[in-house]
Amino acid sequence: MHRTRCDRAPAWSALRALYETQGRTLDLRQAFAADEGRFERLSLQAPHVFADLSKNLINAAIQAQLTELARQCGVEPHREAMLRGEHVNSAEDRAAMHFLLRHPGGAAARELAPSVQASLREVQGVLDAMLAYAQAVREDAAITDVVNIGIGGSDLGPQMAVLALDAFVDHGKRYHFVSSVDGHELSHVLRQVRPESTLFLVASKSFTTLETMTNAHSAKAWFEAQGGRDIARHFCALTSNVKAAAEFGISTCFGFWDWVGGRYSMWSAIGLPMAIAIGPRHFRELLAGAHAMDEHFRTAELARNLPVQLALLDVWYRNFHGFGSRSVAPYHSGLRRMQAYLQQLEMESNGKRVDEAGQALPYATSPVIWGEPAANGQHAYFQMLHQGSDVIPVEFIAVRKVAHDLPEHHLKLLANGLAQAQALMLGQADPGGHRHMPGNRPSTFLLLEELTPTSLGALIALYEHRVFVAGSLWGINSFDQWGVELGKVLAKAIEPRLESGDSAGLDASTAGLLKRLRG
Ligand code: F6P
């Protein structure tokens, strides 16, 4: 299918001109003063997520031209190609059909391409089996600890969601996530658990990832050394490499497909720790929330399509304003791993310097994504957001109703979120003084009614599609990650040198550090 790279679309030049005449000098305070309807016009209700975009550095003309950019770049046919199961992951010659993992099937499946419908049947078969297994584990009082061993997409999504959905979690069991090859992590967990009451989930799409396989081997060795016998009961693999799992000695296995990218996989078997924690009904609600967002993305016109509009803001800020990062500020402690999750989703997807054909791009792509749960961030780096020399767009995520019984805390929390967004925009006059805050600093405010499986599913799907659209505009393949390979190869070569001390042929810095590390 034909895609037009953003800088080759006529709207790109039009946006350049608009940036010079209106964008560069746009003042949010004046924009609100001049337009009573700005909040209504620039806010959007998508399924389970309300978005206030009005504190962004855009006006009606800019927004219209950005939307025109999406049209001219072929975002819609590209979206349809993904939904038809075409190989939009061109470098790896694969489809990217994570949306299928949350499709409800039934009558709604009629709009899917026939080839995709066949995959949906497989998806639903594995989902049913995995949820039945999750329920059995939930009912098994002898299992008190669930240890997920996985990294990247095989860790971040489930871990983030188990924390976020704490109000729905079965607290009869403890959930542990071991990701790094740093032995502190695994040994810390192994000190707390017993072999007869622990279920290890080895989560790895490839079943070859060094960190995960090292941890899995050590966990199995520990289990056997402690007298554990029943591997089939105490080890379960979540992988698309069933053969490797069997060779490892794990017979209980839930599979998924090469068309599920690691960072898009929390809806697949990789979601098992979540399914055990929140139960099958809530897991299905998570999928339903994501599907509602998929439908919004598929059907809403570009101008009212939230993932599209957020992606356009990303392009506007990165390529016209030259902003290098975006700070994510969740005003809900349950979302404390959200930034880590988004860092992989966005930066591993769109942190690329070449287009789909491998040609160097003449413009910047993914911003740096960073942040902390915001009440803490306020007392740490928000100083820089208000008075630093860089402008950093902030994305607030707030939840209207909470699941604790300290309403006065929530009022204070929300007041702080609103106040920070307001302060960023309004600033403060203190000519020549240290209290001067320039203001006019942009932010987006995402609001959930409640943090539930449904709304979390919708929120994550929103981010997935936003990343797809931004990647589509930038002309890159958002579904590969070659950049992480070199380090893996070099680590394999360095490991034996750390043992032997052989530094021949190494650069002087690596050789010097190697020598020091050997002591
Ligand atoms: O190294 C990057 C990566 O390939 C991620 O894309 C992926 O989520 C992670 O490693 C883990 O991979 P796997 O699930 O195959 O162990």
Side-chain angles (χ1 to χ4, degrees):
M1 56 119 329
H2 180 69
R3 290 169 65 187
T4 302
R5 221 173 70 180
C6 54
D7 60 328
R8 295 179 178 147
W12 188 262
S13 323
L15 282 163
R16 280 253 161 273
L18 265 178
Y19 176 72
E20 293 307 329
T21 53
Q22 303 179 24
R24 188 196 291 281
T25 52
L26 193 142
D27 187 287
L28 288 169
R29 295 150 290 201
Q30 287 169 12
F32 274 100
D35 177 5
E36 269 187 11
R38 184 175 168 89
F39 172 74
E40 274 73 28
R41 217 180 338 279
L42 291 177
S43 54
L44 249 167
Q45 179 68 61
H48 311 289
V49 184
F50 174 81
D52 172 19
L53 308 181
S54 66
K55 291 201 213 67
N56 283 292
L57 299 170
I58 50 172
N59 58 23
I62 294 167
Q63 195 200 26
Q65 201 54 243
L66 283 168
T67 305
E68 181 57 18
L69 179 72
R71 203 188 56 71
Q72 290 177 6
C73 289
V75 165
E76 290 154 299
H78 193 205
R79 171 189 65 192
E80 266 105 60
M82 176 173 77
L83 298 177
R84 269 197 307 275
E86 283 179 27
H87 286 197
V88 290
N89 178 356
S90 49
E92 295 178 309
D93 197 16
R94 288 175 188 167
M97 298 200 292
H98 39 284
F99 60 88
L100 208 58
L101 300 167
R102 54 241 188 176
H103 198 286
R110 274 202 297 271
E111 90 251 346
L112 293 169
S115 56
V116 173
Q117 290 189 13
S119 301
L120 180 60
R121 280 190 288 280
E122 285 184 40
V123 165
Q124 295 191 325
V126 176
L127 177 65
D128 290 344
M130 163 190 144
L131 292 184
Y133 178 81
Q135 186 57 28
V137 174
R138 283 167 68 80
E139 287 167 9
D140 188 343
I143 298 292
T144 56
D145 290 87
V146 178
V147 181
N148 191 77
I149 296 178
I151 196 163
S154 300
D155 164 68
L156 291 165
Q159 190 184 160
M160 173 272 295
V162 168
L163 289 171
L165 299 175
D166 183 62
F168 299 83
V169 167
D170 167 9
H171 289 288
K173 301 190 195 303
R174 296 185 298 177
Y175 301 89
H176 313 266
F177 289 85
V178 176
S179 54
S180 172
V181 76
D182 178 346
H184 291 106
E185 275 196 24
L186 181 64
S187 56
H188 176 73
V189 171
L190 294 181
R191 277 200 299 276
Q192 300 172 53
V193 301
R194 286 173 298 122
E196 65 277 13
S197 55
T198 301
L199 171 64
F200 291 96
L201 304 176
V202 183
S204 176
K205 179 180 174 185
S206 60
F207 225 77
T208 59
T209 303
L210 171 115
E211 292 84 347
T212 302
M213 295 328 296
T214 306
N215 281 324
H217 278 289
S218 300
K220 192 163 158 238
W222 170 87
F223 178 79
E224 287 169 341
Q226 300 279 314
R229 295 270 167 273
D230 196 349
I231 298 276
R233 173 167 158 73
H234 292 278
F235 282 78
C236 173
L238 319 172
T239 185
S240 58
N241 189 353
V242 175
K243 189 167 162 273
E247 280 162 15
F248 180 90
I250 301 185
S251 54
T252 316
C253 186
F254 295 97
F256 57 105
W257 304 270
D258 70 351
W259 47 260
V260 184
R263 53 194 172 274
Y264 299 87
S265 67
M266 62 178 255
W267 327 96
S268 71
I270 292 295
L272 182 60
M274 232 192 307
I276 297 172
I278 63 174
R281 183 167 63 84
H282 290 132
F283 191 82
R284 286 191 190 277
E285 286 171 10
L286 178 96
L287 300 183
H291 178 69
M293 190 59 78
D294 293 342
E295 284 299 282
H296 168 77
F297 177 51
R298 186 175 72 83
T299 58
E301 55 167 318
L302 294 178
R304 305 295 297 165
N305 194 310
L306 187 53
V308 172
Q309 290 301 315
L310 289 174
L312 288 168
L313 281 170
D314 291 337
V315 169
W316 178 239
Y317 287 148
R318 192 75 181 105
N319 303 120
F320 294 87
H321 283 274
F323 302 155
S325 80
R326 185 172 85 242
S327 188
V328 181
Y331 275 73
H332 191 301
S333 66
L335 295 174
R336 62 189 174 278
R337 291 295 288 165
M338 189 72 179
Q339 320 74 254
Y341 174 79
L342 291 179
Q343 278 172 341
Q344 187 198 19
L345 180 64
E346 300 210 29
M347 292 158 76
E348 195 170 350
S349 296
N350 288 343
K352 316 253 165 88
R353 52 171 288 286
V354 297
D355 68 13
E356 233 189 344
Q359 300 296 316
L361 293 169
Y363 45 77
T365 56
S366 178
V368 174
I369 307 296
W370 62 284
E372 272 290 311
N376 300 336
Q378 271 178 230
H379 294 274
Y381 56 77
F382 266 56
Q383 159 63 33
M384 177 171 149
L385 300 182
H386 291 292
Q387 288 190 309
S389 49
D390 290 300
V391 174
I392 299 170
V394 183
E395 197 148 284
F396 293 88
I397 308 175
V399 180
R400 200 173 76 79
K401 285 196 232 155
V402 282
H404 60 69
D405 52 5
L406 298 167
E408 66 283 10
H409 284 235
H410 195 49
L411 278 189
K412 289 188 202 313
L413 181 72
L414 290 181
N416 269 284
L418 281 178
Q420 290 298 326
Q422 200 184 24
L424 284 165
M425 173 173 74
L426 296 180
Q428 175 171 275
D430 178 21
H434 288 288
R435 290 172 196 274
H436 183 72
M437 292 156 91
N440 205 32
R441 303 213 154 179
S443 66
T444 292
F445 208 96
L446 300 180
L447 181 60
L448 310 182
E449 184 64 14
E450 281 179 89
L451 188 55
T452 61
T454 314
S455 66
L456 183 71
L459 182 68
I460 300 302
L462 167 66
Y463 277 107
E464 286 181 351
H465 296 317
R466 172 215 205 132
V467 167
F468 171 79
V469 175
S472 182
L473 294 162
W474 283 321
I476 58 189
N477 176 8
S478 300
F479 299 108
D480 58 14
Q481 59 282 322
W482 303 105
V484 292
E485 295 306 321
L486 177 60
K488 292 184 191 175
V489 172
L490 296 181
K492 270 212 176 96
I494 288 178
E495 196 184 326
R497 287 174 182 269
L498 266 172
E499 268 190 275
S500 68
D502 170 20
S503 61
L506 288 177
D507 63 89
S509 167
T510 310
L513 290 170
L514 190 122
K515 198 165 161 227
R516 278 195 160 253
L517 284 166
R518 279 177 49 81

